Amino acid sequence: MLAVRDAEDVEELARFVDPPETAWIDVHGLGDERVLRRIGEIFGLHPLALEDVVNAQGRAKAELYPDHQLVISRLPIFEGGGSIDVPQLSLLIGRRHLLSLQERPFGCFDPVRQRLREGVGPIRSAGPAYLAYALIDTLVDHYYPVVESLTQELEDLEEDAIHAAPGTRVLERIHQNRRRLVVLRRVARPQREAVLELATTESPFVGPEVRTFLRDTHDHIAQVMELADSAHELSVALLEIYRSSLGQRSNEIMKLLTMIGSIFIPLTFVAGIYGMNFDRMPELRSPWGYPATLLGMGLLGAGMLLYFRRRGWIGRGRGR
Amino acid sequence: MLAVRDAEDVEELARFVDPPETAWIDVHGLGDERVLRRIGEIFGLHPLALEDVVNAQGRAKAELYPDHQLVISRLPIFEGGGSIDVPQLSLLIGRRHLLSLQERPFGCFDPVRQRLREGVGPIRSAGPAYLAYALIDTLVDHYYPVVESLTQELEDLEEDAIHAAPGTRVLERIHQNRRRLVVLRRVARPQREAVLELATTESPFVGPEVRTFLRDTHDHIAQVMELADSAHELSVALLEIYRSSLGQRSNEIMKLLTMIGSIFIPLTFVAGIYGMNFDRMPELRSPWGYPATLLGMGLLGAGMLLYFRRRGWIGRGRGR
Amino acid sequence: MLAVRDAEDVEELARFVDPPETAWIDVHGLGDERVLRRIGEIFGLHPLALEDVVNAQGRAKAELYPDHQLVISRLPIFEGGGSIDVPQLSLLIGRRHLLSLQERPFGCFDPVRQRLREGVGPIRSAGPAYLAYALIDTLVDHYYPVVESLTQELEDLEEDAIHAAPGTRVLERIHQNRRRLVVLRRVARPQREAVLELATTESPFVGPEVRTFLRDTHDHIAQVMELADSAHELSVALLEIYRSSLGQRSNEIMKLLTMIGSIFIPLTFVAGIYGMNFDRMPELRSPWGYPATLLGMGLLGAGMLLYFRRRGWIGRGRGR
Amino acid sequence: MLAVRDAEDVEELARFVDPPETAWIDVHGLGDERVLRRIGEIFGLHPLALEDVVNAQGRAKAELYPDHQLVISRLPIFEGGGSIDVPQLSLLIGRRHLLSLQERPFGCFDPVRQRLREGVGPIRSAGPAYLAYALIDTLVDHYYPVVESLTQELEDLEEDAIHAAPGTRVLERIHQNRRRLVVLRRVARPQREAVLELATTESPFVGPEVRTFLRDTHDHIAQVMELADSAHELSVALLEIYRSSLGQRSNEIMKLLTMIGSIFIPLTFVAGIYGMNFDRMPELRSPWGYPATLLGMGLLGAGMLLYFRRRGWIGRGRGR
Amino acid sequence: MLAVRDAEDVEELARFVDPPETAWIDVHGLGDERVLRRIGEIFGLHPLALEDVVNAQGRAKAELYPDHQLVISRLPIFEGGGSIDVPQLSLLIGRRHLLSLQERPFGCFDPVRQRLREGVGPIRSAGPAYLAYALIDTLVDHYYPVVESLTQELEDLEEDAIHAAPGTRVLERIHQNRRRLVVLRRVARPQREAVLELATTESPFVGPEVRTFLRDTHDHIAQVMELADSAHELSVALLEIYRSSLGQRSNEIMKLLTMIGSIFIPLTFVAGIYGMNFDRMPELRSPWGYPATLLGMGLLGAGMLLYFRRRGWIGRGRGR
C-alpha cells in the first residue's frame, strides 16, 4: 500500500528511502533550511537538486541525477490585486519513492489524494513516476482557468476599447492583462520544455508507459501556450484598436469644434462690422440694412452647413 | 465490401473489431460518456486516446498507440455572429477498421460517403488508413473557404480603411476579422503538425502509399497557413493604414479650423477696435474711415488666403 | 537530337515516353482536363502529381514519385491594376523526357528555346534534369525585376511620406505596395524550399551535377527573399514615417491656430470691454483712453509673440 | 593546496604551468600587452585565444584549443549616468591550472575567494574546471540584480505612463530603460550560448561532473534571458500605453475647448447681433428685448450642455 | 616565396596554376568579361563559379567546386549621400594558389600586403587558405566602423527625438539610418553564413588549422550582426519615441489654446452682452454696473486659472 503522510519527524523519513512499496513523501513549507538539508542527506539528493528545491525561484525544468529524476514545476495562481503568483512544486522521482516539496499546500492536488485514497485506476500500483505524472498533469490543468480568465478579460475589454470609453481605467486594465500574460508565458514556456524532456528522454526513473502519459500532458501545456500566445496577440491588437478609436474620437470632437467655429466666427465678424461706430456707414442708415444683414448671415450659415453635409461631416446617418 | 453504418446498438459493434473486410464505424454525438467508454472497451482503446476523444477540447494531433493510430483534427466553421467554431473529428485507425467520432455530423464528409457508395477510385479497397486520409483531406479542404472569406473581408475593408470612413463599424470589423484569424491560425498550426507527423512517421497502421497522399494533404494545410499568415499581416497593415488615414483626416479638419480662425479672428479684432466707445477716436469721424477699414480687412484676409495657398493648404488640386 | 514540339495530337505523345534521345514536351493551356488525364496515362503520372498539375492552385514544391520528379513553380507577374498574378509551371522530370505544363505560354522561356535551337552550351546534351534546371533558373531570374520594381516604388514614395504630402493617394500606394510584397513573399518562400529540396535530396532523376547548378538557383531565390524581406521592412518603416510626419504637420497647424488665437482672443476681449455701453466708464471719457488702449494692446500682442519665439514656435530658422 | 596569488613577476608564473596541485592565476589589468604576450608564451596559449583576451571587446564564447579551454564572459555593471558597462572576464582552463584575466578586479568574485580560503565544499579539491564553474556561476548570478533593477524601473514608470504625466522625463526614462535592456540582451545571449556549449560539449578540460553544474548555470542565464525578454516586452508595451494615454489626454483637452467654444461662440454671435448699430432694429426698442434675449441665450447654453451630457462628455462619473 | 603581382598579360597567369610555391593572383576590375573568361579557362574554374565572379551581384557564399573553394564576400562602404555600397570580393582557393577578384581595389587589404611584404607571422608560409582567411578577416573587421557609425548616429538623434525638435530633418535622418541598417543586415547575414560554412565544413582546400581561425572570424561577423540588430531595435524605438514626443507636444500646444480660449471666450461673451444696444438694460444705467462687471470678469478668469492649476495644466513645476 502507498503511504501518504506529512512527515513530522524528519528522521522518520529514513524508512521511506527504500520502502517495500511505493511511498509518496509530501513536504509542505520550505522555511526551515536545516530540515530540508537533512531530507536531502536522507534521500541522497544531489547538491544542485537540493539547491533548486531550497531556492524555489528557478524555472521549470527536468534534470536527471544519478539517484533521482528532478522535476521543477511552477503553478500560476491569481493573487489579490490582479498579479499572478507562481509558487514552485519540486518533485524528486526515485525508484520506489516520490518526494514532493512545496512552499505551501496547493489545494489543487486534493483530487490526486482522493484518487489515491479511493484506489481508483492505476494510480496506487503504478509506481512513483506515474504518481509524479498525475501531479504534473493536475498542475498543468490548473493553467487553463488562468489563461481562460485572461482571455475572457480581453473579451470584456473589447467593447470599451472599440468605443474608446473615456477614463484611464481601460488602459490600466489592458496593461494589467498584458503584464499577467507576460508572466504566464514566461512561466509556461520552460514548463512545456520540462514536460517535453521528461516525455522524450530515456530515464531509469520514468518508464515508457508513463512517458506516453506525459506526452499527453505536453499536449495540454502546449495548448495553454497557444491560447496564451493568441491572447497576447489579441491584447496587442486591442491596444491598437483602442488607439485607433481614440483617433476617431478626436476627429469627431474636432469636427464639431470646426463646424461651430466655421459657422459662427465669420458671422460674428459680420456682426462686428456693423457694430463699429464710424460716423459714415450708409448701410446702418438704410431701413433694409438690418433685415438684409440677417438674411445674408442666414445664407452664409446655411451655406456652411451645406458644405459640411457635402463633406459627409453631418447627417447621412454615418457620423459619430 | 466496406460497411458504413451508424451503429444503434453499441454491443453490435463487437463484430467490427476484426472484420473480414475494412469497416468504417462512424459515431455521431459524444454526449453519452458511458456509450463511448463501452466503445473504447470493445475496440481496446488506450485510456489516453479515449480521454482525448471524450474531452473533445484538445488540439489536433497524431499519436501512435499499440493498437491504434489516433488522429485528432479540428474543422473551422463560421458561426452566426461572426465567430468561428472548431468542432473535433477523432479518427482511430486500426488494422482492419476505422473508427471516426464527432460531436455532430459534418456535412463535409458527404462526398467521401458518395465515393464509397459509388465505389469510385481506390477508396473501397485501400484499407482504413486511406479512408482516414480521404476524411482528413476533405476536412483540410474545408479550411480554404474560411481563409478565403477572411481575406475577402480584408479586401472589402480596404476602401473604408484608406478613406477613414467614419463610424466605429470599421474598427469593429477589422478587430473581428483579426480575432477570427487568430483562432484559425491557432487551430491550423497543430493540424499541420499532426498531418506532417502522420505523413513522415513510420506507423504499422499507415502504409508508405498512404503517407505519400498525406504529404499532399500537408501541402494543402501548409498553404492554408501561408494564406492565413498573409491575411494576418494585411490585417495588421490595415489597422495602421486606418490610423494613418485618421491622422490625415484630423490634419484636414484642423487645417479648415485654422484657416477660418486665422482669417476671421484678426478681422473680428479690428472690428472690435472700431466698436469701442471712446469719445476721442479720430478715425471714426473721418469720412474715409469706414471704407478704408473695409479695404484693410479685405487685404488682410486676402493676404492670409495667399499665405495658406503658398503653404499648399488650399487649391493646387492636391488637398483633400 | 532533342525534339521541341507542341503536340497537337495527344496520342502522338506516346512516342516520347521512352524516346531515343532526351525529349521536352511542352504543354500550353490546361483547360481540357480530359487531354491532361490522357497525358497522365501515357506518361504514367502518379494521380497526386496529375492532380497538382491540373489544379494549378498549389504552392511551389518538389515531390519525388516512383516514375517522375515533380516540380511545381510559380512565377510572379505584374498585372494591370497593380496586382500580382502567379501562374504555375509544372515540370515532370522523367529519365529521358521532360514534361512541362503551363496555363499560357510564359514569354520568359524564349531564351531557353533559343539556346536549344542554337545548341549553345551543355543544354542539348545534358538530359531532362539540366533542361528543367534551365527553366527553373530562368523563372527564378524573373523574380528579380518584380522585387526591384517594388523596392523602387518604395524609394519613390519616400519623399512624399517624409513630407506628408496631403491626399490619400500616398496611403493607397503604400498599402498596394505592401499587399504585393505579401504576395511575393508568400510565393517565393515555398519556391525557395522547393529548389533547396531539389538541390539537396538524392533523386534518380536529378544527378549531382545538376544539383550543383540548382544550388546556384537556390542562392538566387534566397537573395530574392532577402530583398523582399528588406523591402517589407522598409515598407513598414515608411508607414511609420508617414504617420510621424502627419503628427508633425498637425503640430505645425495647431501651433499656427494657437498663436493666432492666443494673440487675438485676449485683444478682442479688451476691445469688447470698451465696446460696452455702461453710462459710467471713465476711461471712455479720457482723451488718452484710446491711444493708451491701443498701446496696451500692442504691448500685449508683442509680449505673446516674444513668448512664442522663446518657446521656439517661430523664427530661429528651425520651424517648418 | 591551491595557490591564489596576484603574480607580480611574470616569469615566476612558469612554476604554475604544470603545478603539483591545482593553481589559479588571476591577472588584473590588461594594459601592458607585452606582459600578456609573455603570459601567453609561458602557458602556451593559442594566438587566437591570446588575441581574444587582449582585445577584450569580443562576445562571450567557449572555444576549445589543444592546450586550453577558453571561456570569455561578460559581466553587466551599472555605470553612473545610467548606462551599462560590460567588462570582460577571460578564463583559460588548463589541466592543472586556471588562468583568469580581467581589466580591473570585479568585487563579485570575493565570495569565491572566501570559499577557497575557508576550504568550504569541493571547491579546493575539484580542479580548475570546477573553479571556473564557480567563477562563471558567480558572474551569471550578477546578471539578476541588473535585470531586476530594470524590471523595477519599468514598474515605477507604469503609473506615470498610464496617466501620461506631462514632461519629457517619462519618455527619456522609458528610452534609457529600453537602451539598457538592448545592451543586456545583446550581452546575455552569447553568454548563454557559451555556457550551453561548455555544458554540453565533450572537452578534455571540463569533466562530466562539472558539466552537470554548468547545466545549472545555464538554467540561470536562461532565466535571466527570459526575464530580460519579458522586461523588453513590457517596455514596448509601456511606450504604447503612454502614447495611448497621451491620445486620451488630447481628447479630454479638446473636449473642454470644444464645449467652451460650442457654448460661447454662438452666444457671442447673438450678442454681436444686438450690438450692431443699425437705425432700424425693432427688437432693441422693445422693453422685452433684453430679457427675452438673455432668456434665449440661457436656453441655448443649457441646450448645448444637455447635448454634451447626452454624448457622455460631462458628468455620469466616467469622464476625465 | 609568395608572388604578389597585378597580372598584365592574362596568358602569363598560366605559370601560377600549379606554382612551386603558394601564389596570390589579385585581379582588379571586372569590366572585361573576355579576360575573366580566359582566367576561368586557365585556372579551370567551374562555369557557375565564373558566373558568380563575373556577375558581382550575388550574396556572400562559400561553395565547394571540384577544383576550387569559392568564397564570395561583400564589404559595406559608406558612399557620399549617405547610402551604402557593397562591392564584392571573390576568392577562389586552389591547392597552391589563391585567386582574388574585385571590381576596384579596396584599400582595406593594404595591411595584409604589408604583412606579406614584411613576412610577419605565418602568412607567407601558410598556404592559400590562410591567406584567404586573412583577407576575409580584414574585410569583416571593416564591418565594425560601419555599424558603429550607424549606432553613433542613433545616439546623436536621440536628443532631437526625445524633444521632438521641429522640422522634418529628424524624420529624414531616422529613416536614412534605418535604410542603411536594413542594407547592412541584409549583407551581413549571408556573410556570416558563408564564414560559418567555411569554418565548419570539411574542404580539401581549407585545412582544420585555418578553420579554427575562421571560427574566430565568424565570432566577429556574428558580433557585427548582434550590434546591427541592437541598432535596428533602437532605431525602431527612436521613431516611436519621436512620435510619442510629438503627441506630448500636441498636448502642450492644445493646452495653451484651450486655456486661452476657456478664459477669454466666456469673458468676451460677457463684454458682448453689455455691448448690446437695447434701450432698456438697467445694468448699464447703474453707476456700479461697470466696476461690478469688471470684478465679475476678474473672478471668472481667476476661477478658470484655478481650475487649470488644479488639473495640473499650469504651474507645479511639472508642465512643459
Side-chain angles (χ1 to χ4, degrees), chain B residues 2 22 95 122-132:
Chain B
L2 184 124
T22 303
R95 262 173 236 282
I123 195 166
R124 283 177 83 144
S125 49
Y130 185 86
L131 187 53

Side-chain angles (χ1 to χ4, degrees), chain E residues 113-318:
Chain E
R113 289 171 207 274
Q114 184 73 14
R115 273 153 67 198
L116 275 175
R117 261 193 297 273
E118 293 174 1
V120 180
I123 196 163
R124 284 179 82 142
S125 49
Y130 186 87
L131 187 51
Y133 150 74
L135 290 174
I136 296 171
D137 194 58
T138 307
L139 180 143
V140 163
D141 279 351
H142 277 74
Y143 275 78
Y144 280 99
V146 175
V147 73
E148 271 157 16
S149 144
L150 291 174
T151 304
Q152 185 56 47
E153 217 172 79
L154 279 171
E155 276 172 32
D156 294 349
L157 278 165
E158 228 161 69
E159 187 71 6
D160 276 358
I162 288 177
H163 297 97
T168 48
R169 285 293 295 149
V170 180
L171 273 182
E172 248 179 292
R173 285 163 65 205
I174 292 179
H175 191 62
Q176 201 183 55
N177 183 282
R178 174 94 60 102
R179 223 173 39 200
R180 288 190 283 192
L181 275 172
V182 164
V183 171
L184 181 68
R185 293 166 79 212
R186 190 179 66 228
V187 170
R189 211 174 295 124
Q191 185 73 45
R192 185 183 53 175
E193 285 168 27
V195 173
L196 183 63
E197 200 185 316
L198 220 52
T200 54
T201 317
E202 293 266 332
S203 156
F205 306 104
V206 184
E209 173 78 356
V210 174
R211 285 211 293 276
T212 302
F213 284 91
L214 282 165
R215 270 209 300 285
D216 194 62
T217 305
H218 173 255
D219 258 19
H220 293 177
I221 183 77
Q223 193 178 29
V224 165
M225 279 298 291
E226 282 165 8
L227 289 166
D229 287 350
S230 294
H232 181 257
E233 222 172 289
L234 282 176
S235 163
V236 170
L238 207 62
L239 194 54
E240 277 172 29
I241 287 287
Y242 180 64
R243 213 149 67 209
S244 304
S245 184
L246 278 180
Q248 211 173 44
R249 276 258 166 157
S250 292
N251 256 4
E252 296 299 318
I253 294 167
M254 279 194 307
K255 265 186 197 171
L256 181 61
L257 181 62
T258 301
M259 278 195 291
I260 300 263
S262 302
I263 291 170
F264 287 104
I265 289 178
L267 293 183
T268 303
F269 164 65
V270 172
I273 294 262
Y274 295 112
M276 294 194 295
N277 296 318
F278 287 102
D279 283 357
R280 298 264 301 255
M281 294 176 70
E283 299 97 314
L284 297 181
R285 305 288 90 85
S286 148
W288 302 110
Y290 182 53
T293 302
L294 285 188
L295 186 69
M297 287 172 165
L299 289 176
L300 194 60
M304 291 305 279
L305 279 174
L306 210 74
Y307 170 75
F308 290 124
R309 174 176 274 270
R310 277 252 179 92
R311 286 187 69 160
W313 289 22
I314 40 176
R316 294 197 211 173
R318 293 170 74 193

Side-chain angles (χ1 to χ4, degrees), chain C residues 171-302:
Chain C
L171 273 182
E172 248 180 292
R173 285 163 66 203
I174 292 179
H175 191 62
Q176 202 184 53
N177 185 280
R178 173 94 61 102
R179 224 173 38 200
R180 288 189 283 191
L181 276 170
V182 164
V183 171
L184 181 68
R185 293 166 79 211
R186 190 179 65 227
V187 170
R189 209 173 297 125
Q191 184 75 45
R192 185 183 53 175
E193 284 168 27
V195 173
L196 183 63
E197 202 187 315
L198 219 51
T200 54
T201 318
E202 293 265 331
S203 156
F205 307 103
V206 185
E209 173 78 356
V210 174
R211 287 212 292 275
T212 303
F213 284 90
L214 282 165
R215 270 209 300 283
D216 193 63
T217 305
H218 174 255
D219 259 19
H220 293 176
I221 183 77
Q223 193 179 29
V224 165
M225 277 300 290
E226 282 165 9
L227 289 167
D229 287 350
S230 294
H232 181 257
E233 224 172 288
L234 282 176
S235 161
V236 170
L238 207 61
L239 194 55
E240 277 172 29
I241 287 287
Y242 180 65
R243 213 147 67 208
S244 305
S245 184
L246 278 179
Q248 211 173 44
R249 277 257 165 157
S250 292
N251 257 4
E252 296 299 319
I253 293 167
M254 279 194 309
K255 265 185 194 170
L256 182 62
L257 181 63
T258 301
M259 278 194 292
I260 300 264
S262 302
I263 292 169
F264 287 105
I265 288 177
L267 293 183
T268 302
F269 165 65
V270 173
I273 294 262
Y274 294 113
M276 295 195 294
N277 297 318
F278 286 101
D279 284 356
R280 298 265 301 256
M281 294 176 70
E283 301 95 313
L284 296 182
R285 303 290 88 87
S286 150
W288 301 110
Y290 182 53
T293 302
L294 285 188
L295 187 70
M297 286 171 167
L299 288 176
L300 194 59

Side-chain angles (χ1 to χ4, degrees), chain C residues 59-80:
Chain C
R59 46 204 299 262
K61 68 171 170 184
E63 187 81 39
L64 183 60
Y65 290 107
D67 295 321
H68 288 92
Q69 172 76 49
L70 170 71
V71 191
I72 304 278
S73 298
R74 305 201 78 86
L75 173 69
I77 294 175
F78 276 113
E79 292 264 290

Side-chain angles (χ1 to χ4, degrees), chain B residues 5-10 12-13 16 25-27 39:
Chain B
R5 63 187 69 190
D6 297 342
E8 288 288 276
D9 190 346
V10 175
E12 220 179 302
L13 286 172
F16 298 113
I25 301 101
D26 189 20
V27 181
I39 293 175

Side-chain angles (χ1 to χ4, degrees), chain D residues 30 33 36-37 49-57 88 90 103:
Chain D
L30 308 174
E33 203 178 315
L36 289 175
R37 300 222 170 272
L50 188 62
E51 202 185 304
D52 282 334
V53 168
V54 171
N55 178 26
Q57 297 294 331
Q88 173 173 316
S90 312
E103 179 59 58

Side-chain angles (χ1 to χ4, degrees), chain B residues 133 155 158 162-163 209 212-213 215-216 219-220 222-223 226-227 230 233-234 237-238 240-241 243-245 247-248 250-252 254-255 257-258 261-262 265-266 268-269 272-283 304 307-308 311-313 318-320, chain C residues 46-48 51-52 57-59 61 63-65 165-168 171-172 174-175 178-179 182 185-186 189-190 232 239 242-243 246 249-250 252-254 256-257 260-261 264-265 267-268 270-271 274-277 283-287 289-290 293-294 297 320:
Chain B
Y133 149 74
E155 278 173 31
E158 228 161 69
I162 289 177
H163 297 97
E209 173 77 357
T212 303
F213 284 91
R215 271 209 300 282
D216 193 64
D219 259 18
H220 293 177
Q223 193 179 28
E226 282 165 8
L227 289 167
S230 294
E233 224 172 286
L234 282 177
L238 207 62
E240 277 172 28
I241 287 286
R243 213 148 69 208
S244 305
S245 184
Q248 212 173 43
S250 292
N251 256 3
E252 296 299 319
M254 279 192 310
K255 265 186 195 170
L257 181 62
T258 301
S262 302
I265 288 177
T268 302
F269 165 65
I273 295 262
Y274 293 113
M276 294 194 295
N277 297 316
F278 285 102
D279 283 355
R280 294 266 302 254
M281 293 176 70
E283 300 96 312
M304 291 305 279
Y307 171 76
F308 289 125
R311 287 186 71 159
W313 288 22
R318 291 172 75 192
R320 207 172 358 142
Chain C
H46 191 279
L48 281 174
E51 202 186 307
D52 282 336
Q57 298 294 332
R59 46 204 299 262
K61 68 171 170 184
E63 187 81 39
L64 183 60
Y65 290 107
T168 48
L171 273 182
E172 248 180 292
I174 292 179
H175 191 62
R178 173 94 61 102
R179 224 173 38 200
V182 164
R185 293 166 79 211
R186 190 179 65 227
R189 209 173 297 125
H232 181 257
L239 194 55
Y242 180 65
R243 213 147 67 208
L246 278 179
R249 277 257 165 157
S250 292
E252 296 299 319
I253 293 167
M254 279 194 309
L256 182 62
L257 181 63
I260 300 264
F264 287 105
I265 288 177
L267 293 183
T268 302
V270 173
Y274 294 113
M276 295 195 294
N277 297 318
E283 301 95 313
L284 296 182
R285 303 290 88 87
S286 150
Y290 182 53
T293 302
L294 285 188
M297 286 171 167
R320 205 163 11 132

